[in-house]
Short mmCIF file of all heavy atoms in Angstrom, two decimals:
data_model
loop_
_atom_site.label_atom_id
_atom_site.label_comp_id
_atom_site.label_asym_id
_atom_site.label_seq_id
_atom_site.Cartn_x
_atom_site.Cartn_y
_atom_site.Cartn_z
N MET I 79 93.41 97.01 104.94
CA MET I 79 94.38 97.85 105.45
C MET I 79 95.37 98.31 104.41
O MET I 79 95.53 97.59 103.47
CB MET I 79 95.11 97.21 106.66
CG MET I 79 94.71 97.71 107.97
SD MET I 79 95.77 97.19 109.23
CE MET I 79 94.87 95.99 110.02
N SER I 80 96.04 99.35 104.67
CA SER I 80 96.94 99.98 103.68
C SER I 80 98.35 99.41 103.68
O SER I 80 99.16 99.87 102.84
CB SER I 80 96.99 101.46 103.80
OG SER I 80 97.54 101.78 105.11
N GLY I 81 98.69 98.57 104.64
CA GLY I 81 100.06 98.07 104.76
C GLY I 81 100.81 98.94 105.70
O GLY I 81 101.92 98.65 106.04
N ASN I 82 100.28 100.08 106.16
CA ASN I 82 100.87 100.97 107.13
C ASN I 82 100.53 100.46 108.50
O ASN I 82 99.39 100.39 108.81
CB ASN I 82 100.36 102.36 106.84
CG ASN I 82 101.00 103.37 107.78
OD1 ASN I 82 101.52 103.07 108.83
ND2 ASN I 82 100.85 104.65 107.42
N THR I 83 101.60 100.21 109.30
CA THR I 83 101.30 99.70 110.64
C THR I 83 101.29 100.75 111.76
O THR I 83 101.28 100.42 112.89
CB THR I 83 102.31 98.58 110.94
OG1 THR I 83 103.62 99.16 110.90
CG2 THR I 83 102.24 97.35 109.98
N ASN I 84 101.32 101.96 111.36
CA ASN I 84 101.33 103.07 112.30
C ASN I 84 100.00 103.09 113.15
O ASN I 84 98.95 103.30 112.53
CB ASN I 84 101.52 104.48 111.55
CG ASN I 84 101.45 105.63 112.37
OD1 ASN I 84 101.18 105.51 113.63
ND2 ASN I 84 101.67 106.79 111.83
N PRO I 85 100.17 102.88 114.51
CA PRO I 85 98.98 102.89 115.29
C PRO I 85 98.20 104.25 115.31
O PRO I 85 97.01 104.31 115.70
CB PRO I 85 99.44 102.49 116.69
CG PRO I 85 100.83 102.87 116.67
CD PRO I 85 101.32 102.72 115.24
N GLY I 86 98.89 105.29 114.91
CA GLY I 86 98.27 106.60 114.84
C GLY I 86 97.29 106.83 113.63
O GLY I 86 96.46 107.71 113.56
N ASN I 87 97.43 105.88 112.73
CA ASN I 87 96.60 105.92 111.49
C ASN I 87 95.28 105.23 111.83
O ASN I 87 95.27 104.06 112.25
CB ASN I 87 97.33 105.11 110.45
CG ASN I 87 96.61 105.17 109.05
OD1 ASN I 87 95.38 105.37 109.06
ND2 ASN I 87 97.35 104.94 108.01
N PHE I 88 94.19 105.98 111.73
CA PHE I 88 92.89 105.39 112.08
C PHE I 88 92.51 104.17 111.27
O PHE I 88 91.75 103.32 111.76
CB PHE I 88 91.73 106.45 111.91
CG PHE I 88 91.73 107.39 113.00
CD1 PHE I 88 92.00 108.82 112.78
CD2 PHE I 88 91.41 107.10 114.31
CE1 PHE I 88 91.97 109.70 113.81
CE2 PHE I 88 91.41 107.97 115.35
CZ PHE I 88 91.68 109.32 115.07
N ALA I 89 93.11 104.01 110.12
CA ALA I 89 92.80 102.84 109.31
C ALA I 89 93.34 101.53 109.95
O ALA I 89 92.83 100.38 109.68
CB ALA I 89 93.42 102.94 107.92
N ASN I 90 94.27 101.69 110.93
CA ASN I 90 94.91 100.54 111.58
C ASN I 90 94.24 100.23 112.96
O ASN I 90 94.69 99.40 113.66
CB ASN I 90 96.35 100.77 111.80
CG ASN I 90 97.07 100.89 110.47
OD1 ASN I 90 96.68 100.29 109.45
ND2 ASN I 90 98.10 101.73 110.40
N ARG I 91 93.18 101.02 113.30
CA ARG I 91 92.59 100.82 114.59
C ARG I 91 91.13 100.13 114.49
O ARG I 91 90.61 100.13 113.43
CB ARG I 91 92.30 102.19 115.20
CG ARG I 91 93.58 102.89 115.54
CD ARG I 91 93.27 104.22 116.26
NE ARG I 91 94.46 104.93 116.55
CZ ARG I 91 94.41 106.11 117.17
NH1 ARG I 91 93.30 106.61 117.63
NH2 ARG I 91 95.53 106.76 117.50
N PRO I 92 90.75 99.52 115.50
CA PRO I 92 89.48 98.77 115.50
C PRO I 92 88.36 99.86 115.27
O PRO I 92 88.52 100.97 115.70
CB PRO I 92 89.33 98.22 116.86
CG PRO I 92 90.73 98.07 117.46
CD PRO I 92 91.50 99.23 116.84
N LYS I 93 87.32 99.48 114.57
CA LYS I 93 86.25 100.33 114.22
C LYS I 93 85.61 101.08 115.37
O LYS I 93 85.35 102.18 115.37
CB LYS I 93 85.17 99.54 113.42
CG LYS I 93 84.03 100.47 112.93
CD LYS I 93 83.02 99.55 112.12
CE LYS I 93 81.90 100.44 111.60
NZ LYS I 93 80.97 99.68 110.83
N GLU I 94 85.44 100.25 116.51
CA GLU I 94 84.78 100.82 117.66
C GLU I 94 85.68 101.91 118.28
O GLU I 94 85.19 102.97 118.75
CB GLU I 94 84.59 99.69 118.72
CG GLU I 94 83.62 98.68 118.34
CD GLU I 94 84.25 97.60 117.36
OE1 GLU I 94 85.45 97.43 117.27
OE2 GLU I 94 83.44 97.05 116.60
N GLU I 95 86.99 101.74 118.25
CA GLU I 95 87.89 102.76 118.75
C GLU I 95 87.90 104.04 117.96
O GLU I 95 87.86 105.17 118.51
CB GLU I 95 89.33 102.21 118.78
CG GLU I 95 90.32 103.10 119.45
CD GLU I 95 91.79 102.56 119.45
OE1 GLU I 95 91.92 101.33 119.41
OE2 GLU I 95 92.69 103.39 119.60
N VAL I 96 87.71 103.91 116.67
CA VAL I 96 87.65 105.03 115.73
C VAL I 96 86.35 105.76 115.95
O VAL I 96 86.32 107.03 116.07
CB VAL I 96 87.80 104.63 114.30
CG1 VAL I 96 87.61 105.84 113.35
CG2 VAL I 96 89.22 104.02 114.01
N GLN I 97 85.31 105.03 116.11
CA GLN I 97 84.02 105.64 116.35
C GLN I 97 83.97 106.38 117.72
O GLN I 97 83.43 107.50 117.83
CB GLN I 97 82.87 104.61 116.33
CG GLN I 97 82.61 104.14 115.04
CD GLN I 97 81.59 102.97 114.97
OE1 GLN I 97 81.48 102.23 115.93
NE2 GLN I 97 80.93 102.76 113.83
N ASP I 98 84.55 105.85 118.78
CA ASP I 98 84.69 106.50 120.01
C ASP I 98 85.51 107.74 119.95
O ASP I 98 85.09 108.82 120.47
CB ASP I 98 85.31 105.54 121.08
CG ASP I 98 85.27 106.08 122.51
OD1 ASP I 98 84.14 106.57 122.80
OD2 ASP I 98 86.26 106.01 123.25
N ALA I 99 86.56 107.73 119.24
CA ALA I 99 87.41 109.01 119.07
C ALA I 99 86.58 110.04 118.26
O ALA I 99 86.68 111.19 118.60
CB ALA I 99 88.67 108.66 118.27
N ALA I 100 85.81 109.58 117.30
CA ALA I 100 84.99 110.56 116.50
C ALA I 100 83.93 111.26 117.34
O ALA I 100 83.68 112.40 117.12
CB ALA I 100 84.41 109.80 115.34
N LYS I 101 83.34 110.52 118.31
CA LYS I 101 82.40 111.07 119.15
C LYS I 101 82.94 112.28 120.04
O LYS I 101 82.20 113.14 120.41
CB LYS I 101 81.84 110.01 120.11
CG LYS I 101 80.93 109.04 119.42
CD LYS I 101 80.45 107.94 120.38
CE LYS I 101 79.70 106.85 119.66
NZ LYS I 101 79.41 105.73 120.54
N LYS I 102 84.29 112.22 120.25
CA LYS I 102 84.93 113.22 121.05
C LYS I 102 85.44 114.41 120.17
O LYS I 102 85.98 115.28 120.76
CB LYS I 102 86.15 112.57 121.76
CG LYS I 102 85.82 111.53 122.80
CD LYS I 102 87.07 110.95 123.35
CE LYS I 102 86.71 109.85 124.34
NZ LYS I 102 87.86 109.18 124.86
N GLY I 103 85.02 114.31 119.01
CA GLY I 103 85.41 115.38 118.01
C GLY I 103 85.58 116.78 118.32
O GLY I 103 86.52 117.39 117.98
N GLY I 104 84.73 117.42 119.10
CA GLY I 104 84.82 118.77 119.35
C GLY I 104 85.42 119.16 120.68
O GLY I 104 85.56 120.32 121.00
N GLU I 105 85.76 118.16 121.48
CA GLU I 105 86.35 118.41 122.82
C GLU I 105 87.66 118.97 122.76
O GLU I 105 88.51 118.66 121.93
CB GLU I 105 86.24 117.11 123.64
CG GLU I 105 84.89 116.58 123.83
CD GLU I 105 84.92 115.27 124.66
OE1 GLU I 105 85.92 114.90 125.18
OE2 GLU I 105 83.82 114.63 124.62
N ALA I 106 88.00 119.98 123.62
CA ALA I 106 89.21 120.65 123.66
C ALA I 106 90.28 119.68 124.21
O ALA I 106 90.18 118.95 125.12
CB ALA I 106 89.11 121.85 124.61
N SER I 107 91.45 119.84 123.65
CA SER I 107 92.68 119.14 124.10
C SER I 107 93.10 119.71 125.43
O SER I 107 92.93 120.86 125.73
CB SER I 107 93.75 119.35 123.03
OG SER I 107 94.96 118.85 123.50
N LYS I 108 93.68 118.85 126.24
CA LYS I 108 94.20 119.29 127.58
C LYS I 108 95.68 119.63 127.44
O LYS I 108 96.29 119.93 128.47
CB LYS I 108 93.95 118.21 128.60
CG LYS I 108 92.56 117.78 128.74
CD LYS I 108 91.82 118.67 129.72
CE LYS I 108 90.43 118.21 130.06
NZ LYS I 108 89.43 118.41 129.10
N GLY I 109 96.33 119.43 126.31
CA GLY I 109 97.75 119.61 126.22
C GLY I 109 98.11 120.54 125.01
O GLY I 109 97.24 121.12 124.38
N GLY I 110 99.38 120.61 124.78
CA GLY I 110 99.89 121.34 123.66
C GLY I 110 99.62 122.86 123.77
O GLY I 110 99.54 123.42 124.86
N PHE I 111 99.48 123.49 122.62
CA PHE I 111 99.31 124.97 122.61
C PHE I 111 98.00 125.35 123.39
O PHE I 111 97.89 126.45 123.89
CB PHE I 111 99.29 125.46 121.23
CG PHE I 111 100.64 125.48 120.63
CD1 PHE I 111 100.91 124.72 119.46
CD2 PHE I 111 101.67 126.28 121.10
CE1 PHE I 111 102.17 124.73 118.89
CE2 PHE I 111 102.90 126.32 120.58
CZ PHE I 111 103.17 125.52 119.41
N ALA I 112 97.05 124.51 123.31
CA ALA I 112 95.72 124.81 123.95
C ALA I 112 95.86 125.12 125.46
O ALA I 112 95.06 125.83 126.04
CB ALA I 112 94.69 123.72 123.67
N SER I 113 96.82 124.46 126.09
CA SER I 113 96.97 124.61 127.52
C SER I 113 97.96 125.82 127.90
O SER I 113 98.12 126.02 129.07
CB SER I 113 97.53 123.30 128.15
OG SER I 113 98.82 123.02 127.66
N MET I 114 98.59 126.38 126.93
CA MET I 114 99.50 127.46 127.16
C MET I 114 98.88 128.85 127.22
O MET I 114 97.91 129.08 126.47
CB MET I 114 100.60 127.49 126.11
CG MET I 114 101.47 126.36 126.08
SD MET I 114 102.73 126.56 124.82
CE MET I 114 103.46 124.96 124.74
N PRO I 115 99.46 129.75 127.95
CA PRO I 115 98.92 131.12 127.94
C PRO I 115 99.14 131.72 126.52
O PRO I 115 100.11 131.41 125.78
CB PRO I 115 99.90 131.90 128.88
CG PRO I 115 100.43 130.83 129.73
CD PRO I 115 100.53 129.61 128.89
N LYS I 116 98.28 132.57 126.07
CA LYS I 116 98.25 133.16 124.74
C LYS I 116 99.64 133.79 124.42
O LYS I 116 100.18 133.67 123.32
CB LYS I 116 97.14 134.21 124.62
CG LYS I 116 97.06 134.83 123.26
CD LYS I 116 95.91 135.75 123.18
CE LYS I 116 95.79 136.41 121.75
NZ LYS I 116 94.75 137.40 121.74
N GLU I 117 100.17 134.50 125.46
CA GLU I 117 101.47 135.19 125.20
C GLU I 117 102.62 134.21 124.86
O GLU I 117 103.47 134.46 124.05
CB GLU I 117 101.86 136.00 126.45
CG GLU I 117 100.91 137.18 126.73
CD GLU I 117 99.58 136.76 127.37
OE1 GLU I 117 99.51 135.62 127.93
OE2 GLU I 117 98.58 137.49 127.21
N GLN I 118 102.55 133.10 125.55
CA GLN I 118 103.67 132.01 125.32
C GLN I 118 103.51 131.50 123.93
O GLN I 118 104.52 131.32 123.22
CB GLN I 118 103.55 130.95 126.44
CG GLN I 118 104.67 129.99 126.27
CD GLN I 118 104.61 128.91 127.37
OE1 GLN I 118 103.66 128.81 128.11
NE2 GLN I 118 105.66 128.08 127.41
N VAL I 119 102.24 131.18 123.46
CA VAL I 119 102.06 130.68 122.19
C VAL I 119 102.55 131.70 121.09
O VAL I 119 103.18 131.31 120.15
CB VAL I 119 100.54 130.35 121.95
CG1 VAL I 119 100.27 129.98 120.51
CG2 VAL I 119 100.05 129.31 122.92
N GLN I 120 102.26 133.01 121.32
CA GLN I 120 102.68 134.04 120.44
C GLN I 120 104.16 134.07 120.32
O GLN I 120 104.66 134.26 119.26
CB GLN I 120 102.05 135.37 120.80
CG GLN I 120 100.52 135.42 120.53
CD GLN I 120 99.86 136.66 121.04
OE1 GLN I 120 100.37 137.32 121.99
NE2 GLN I 120 98.82 137.09 120.38
N GLU I 121 104.81 133.98 121.49
CA GLU I 121 106.30 134.03 121.61
C GLU I 121 106.88 132.85 120.71
O GLU I 121 107.82 133.03 119.98
CB GLU I 121 106.78 133.99 122.95
CG GLU I 121 108.26 134.13 123.18
CD GLU I 121 108.73 134.11 124.63
OE1 GLU I 121 107.90 134.47 125.53
OE2 GLU I 121 109.79 133.63 124.83
N ILE I 122 106.38 131.70 120.92
CA ILE I 122 106.88 130.52 120.21
C ILE I 122 106.57 130.68 118.75
O ILE I 122 107.47 130.46 117.92
CB ILE I 122 106.13 129.27 120.71
CG1 ILE I 122 106.59 128.92 122.15
CG2 ILE I 122 106.43 128.03 119.75
CD1 ILE I 122 105.79 127.83 122.85
N ALA I 123 105.43 131.15 118.34
CA ALA I 123 105.10 131.36 116.91
C ALA I 123 105.91 132.34 116.29
O ALA I 123 106.32 132.27 115.11
CB ALA I 123 103.64 131.73 116.78
N SER I 124 106.36 133.41 117.07
CA SER I 124 107.23 134.45 116.46
C SER I 124 108.63 133.93 116.07
O SER I 124 109.29 134.57 115.22
CB SER I 124 107.24 135.68 117.36
OG SER I 124 108.21 135.32 118.50
N GLU I 125 108.99 132.86 116.70
CA GLU I 125 110.29 132.27 116.38
C GLU I 125 110.26 131.65 114.91
O GLU I 125 111.32 131.55 114.34
CB GLU I 125 110.73 131.24 117.37
CG GLU I 125 110.99 131.73 118.74
CD GLU I 125 112.27 132.62 118.74
OE1 GLU I 125 113.23 132.26 118.12
OE2 GLU I 125 112.20 133.76 119.29
N GLY I 126 109.14 131.22 114.49
CA GLY I 126 108.95 130.72 113.07
C GLY I 126 109.96 129.78 112.57
O GLY I 126 110.46 129.90 111.47
N GLY I 127 110.40 128.80 113.41
CA GLY I 127 111.34 127.81 112.88
C GLY I 127 112.74 128.08 113.32
O GLY I 127 113.65 127.29 113.12
N LYS I 128 113.08 129.26 113.80
CA LYS I 128 114.36 129.65 114.16
C LYS I 128 114.91 128.71 115.23
O LYS I 128 116.12 128.51 115.33
CB LYS I 128 114.55 131.09 114.65
CG LYS I 128 114.18 132.12 113.60
CD LYS I 128 114.33 133.52 114.22
CE LYS I 128 113.45 134.49 113.37
NZ LYS I 128 113.24 135.70 114.10
N ALA I 129 114.06 128.29 116.15
CA ALA I 129 114.43 127.37 117.23
C ALA I 129 114.65 125.98 116.83
O ALA I 129 115.27 125.23 117.54
CB ALA I 129 113.37 127.48 118.36
N SER I 130 114.33 125.67 115.68
CA SER I 130 114.55 124.29 115.11
C SER I 130 116.00 124.00 115.03
O SER I 130 116.82 124.79 114.71
CB SER I 130 113.96 124.17 113.70
OG SER I 130 114.26 123.01 113.13
N SER I 131 116.39 122.81 115.34
CA SER I 131 117.76 122.40 115.26
C SER I 131 118.23 122.34 113.82
O SER I 131 119.43 122.48 113.53
CB SER I 131 117.94 121.04 115.88
OG SER I 131 117.22 120.03 115.23
N GLY I 132 117.29 122.14 112.93
CA GLY I 132 117.60 122.10 111.53
C GLY I 132 118.32 120.81 111.15
O GLY I 132 118.94 120.19 111.93
N SER I 133 118.20 120.45 109.88
CA SER I 133 118.82 119.22 109.43
C SER I 133 120.13 119.48 108.62
O SER I 133 120.86 118.63 108.31
CB SER I 133 117.87 118.37 108.61
OG SER I 133 116.77 118.11 109.34
N PHE I 134 120.24 120.78 108.19
CA PHE I 134 121.31 121.09 107.22
C PHE I 134 122.07 122.24 107.76
O PHE I 134 121.66 123.05 108.44
CB PHE I 134 120.77 121.43 105.93
CG PHE I 134 119.91 120.38 105.25
CD1 PHE I 134 118.56 120.52 105.22
CD2 PHE I 134 120.46 119.22 104.72
CE1 PHE I 134 117.74 119.55 104.63
CE2 PHE I 134 119.67 118.25 104.14
CZ PHE I 134 118.26 118.36 104.14
N GLU I 135 123.39 122.20 107.36
CA GLU I 135 124.24 123.37 107.58
C GLU I 135 123.81 124.40 106.54
O GLU I 135 123.70 124.09 105.38
CB GLU I 135 125.72 122.97 107.45
CG GLU I 135 126.70 124.06 107.78
CD GLU I 135 128.09 123.62 107.70
OE1 GLU I 135 128.41 122.47 108.12
OE2 GLU I 135 128.99 124.36 107.15
N LYS I 136 123.69 125.70 106.95
CA LYS I 136 123.25 126.68 106.12
C LYS I 136 124.19 126.79 104.83
O LYS I 136 125.39 126.87 104.96
CB LYS I 136 123.25 128.03 106.79
CG LYS I 136 122.51 129.15 106.00
CD LYS I 136 122.42 130.35 106.83
CE LYS I 136 121.67 131.41 106.00
NZ LYS I 136 121.45 132.65 106.75
N GLY I 137 123.54 126.79 103.68
CA GLY I 137 124.34 126.89 102.44
C GLY I 137 124.95 125.64 101.96
O GLY I 137 125.62 125.66 100.93
N SER I 138 124.76 124.50 102.66
CA SER I 138 125.37 123.26 102.24
C SER I 138 124.70 122.75 100.98
O SER I 138 123.59 123.06 100.64
CB SER I 138 125.26 122.22 103.34
OG SER I 138 123.91 121.75 103.50
N GLU I 139 125.43 121.90 100.27
CA GLU I 139 124.94 121.27 99.05
C GLU I 139 123.67 120.48 99.37
O GLU I 139 122.77 120.43 98.56
CB GLU I 139 125.95 120.46 98.38
CG GLU I 139 127.00 121.17 97.60
CD GLU I 139 126.35 122.15 96.54
OE1 GLU I 139 125.52 121.62 95.74
OE2 GLU I 139 126.70 123.33 96.41
N ALA I 140 123.70 119.75 100.48
CA ALA I 140 122.56 118.94 100.88
C ALA I 140 121.29 119.84 101.05
O ALA I 140 120.16 119.48 100.64
CB ALA I 140 122.83 118.09 102.13
N ALA I 141 121.49 120.94 101.60
CA ALA I 141 120.33 121.84 101.85
C ALA I 141 119.85 122.39 100.51
O ALA I 141 118.64 122.45 100.31
CB ALA I 141 120.79 123.05 102.80
N LYS I 142 120.76 122.75 99.62
CA LYS I 142 120.33 123.17 98.32
C LYS I 142 119.63 122.13 97.51
O LYS I 142 118.53 122.46 96.92
CB LYS I 142 121.57 123.63 97.50
CG LYS I 142 122.17 124.95 98.09
CD LYS I 142 123.47 125.24 97.23
CE LYS I 142 124.26 126.39 97.98
NZ LYS I 142 125.50 126.65 97.37
N GLU I 143 120.09 120.89 97.61
CA GLU I 143 119.45 119.87 96.88
C GLU I 143 118.05 119.53 97.54
O GLU I 143 117.06 119.38 96.79
CB GLU I 143 120.29 118.56 96.98
CG GLU I 143 119.66 117.35 96.29
CD GLU I 143 119.53 117.55 94.78
OE1 GLU I 143 120.19 118.38 94.20
OE2 GLU I 143 118.68 116.84 94.17
N ALA I 144 117.86 119.62 98.79
CA ALA I 144 116.59 119.34 99.48
C ALA I 144 115.63 120.47 99.09
O ALA I 144 114.44 120.21 98.76
CB ALA I 144 116.72 119.35 100.92
N GLY I 145 116.09 121.66 98.92
CA GLY I 145 115.26 122.88 98.51
C GLY I 145 114.82 122.62 97.01
O GLY I 145 113.70 122.94 96.73
N ARG I 146 115.68 122.13 96.24
CA ARG I 146 115.30 121.93 94.86
C ARG I 146 114.20 120.79 94.76
O ARG I 146 113.21 120.98 94.05
CB ARG I 146 116.57 121.47 94.00
CG ARG I 146 117.37 122.63 93.53
CD ARG I 146 118.38 122.21 92.47
NE ARG I 146 119.48 121.36 93.02
CZ ARG I 146 120.56 121.89 93.61
NH1 ARG I 146 120.73 123.15 93.65
NH2 ARG I 146 121.42 121.07 94.04
N LYS I 147 114.42 119.77 95.48
CA LYS I 147 113.47 118.67 95.47
C LYS I 147 112.18 119.12 96.07
O LYS I 147 111.08 118.79 95.47
CB LYS I 147 113.94 117.48 96.36
CG LYS I 147 115.06 116.68 95.72
CD LYS I 147 115.55 115.51 96.53
CE LYS I 147 116.61 114.71 95.90
NZ LYS I 147 117.12 113.64 96.76
N GLY I 148 112.13 119.91 97.13
CA GLY I 148 110.94 120.41 97.68
C GLY I 148 110.22 121.30 96.65
O GLY I 148 108.95 121.25 96.59
N GLY I 149 110.83 122.07 95.94
CA GLY I 149 110.23 122.92 94.88
C GLY I 149 109.63 122.19 93.82
O GLY I 149 108.65 122.63 93.28
N LEU I 150 110.25 121.11 93.47
CA LEU I 150 109.66 120.21 92.40
C LEU I 150 108.33 119.54 92.83
O LEU I 150 107.51 119.29 92.01
CB LEU I 150 110.67 119.18 91.95
CG LEU I 150 111.99 119.78 91.32
CD1 LEU I 150 112.93 118.59 91.05
CD2 LEU I 150 111.70 120.42 90.05
N SER I 151 108.22 119.18 94.13
CA SER I 151 107.11 118.45 94.51
C SER I 151 105.88 119.26 94.77
O SER I 151 104.83 118.77 94.94
CB SER I 151 107.41 117.60 95.71
OG SER I 151 107.58 118.42 96.83
N SER I 152 106.03 120.58 94.77
CA SER I 152 104.85 121.43 95.09
C SER I 152 104.15 121.97 93.86
O SER I 152 104.40 121.62 92.76
CB SER I 152 105.23 122.58 95.99
OG SER I 152 106.34 123.27 95.51
#
């Protein structure tokens, strides 16, 4: 194991459980965007992050620093 205890990480799950999940590989999800009408999905997508609460006040030093760090890691 990788030392990561996140149960969402397949490496932390029993082999049989991972194999069972893999067998379901192409089945459609019953939730999320897949269950919404196309128009609603398009409306949400058009917001493009505007609806996000955001972590920084616009123009703050913390926001500028995060942007610099993000630019360096890409």
Side-chain angles (χ1 to χ4, degrees):
M79 255 195 257
S80 65
N82 180 343
T83 59
N84 178 354
N87 184 337
F88 283 116
N90 298 327
R91 295 183 181 184
K93 183 177 180 180
E94 295 77 25
E95 186 179 335
V96 174
Q97 288 174 334
D98 190 45
K101 287 177 189 173
K102 296 178 182 176
E105 295 178 12
S107 168
K108 303 272 189 283
F111 287 117
S113 66
M114 293 182 191
K116 183 179 178 181
E117 294 77 20
Q118 186 178 7
V119 173
Q120 289 174 332
E121 184 179 330
I122 292 169
S124 73
E125 290 295 315
K128 294 179 203 167
S130 170
S131 63
S133 300
F134 302 106
E135 185 176 319
K136 190 173 182 177
S138 71
E139 282 303 313
K142 291 175 187 175
E143 181 63 20
R146 279 193 287 275
K147 288 181 179 179
L150 294 175
S151 68
S152 50

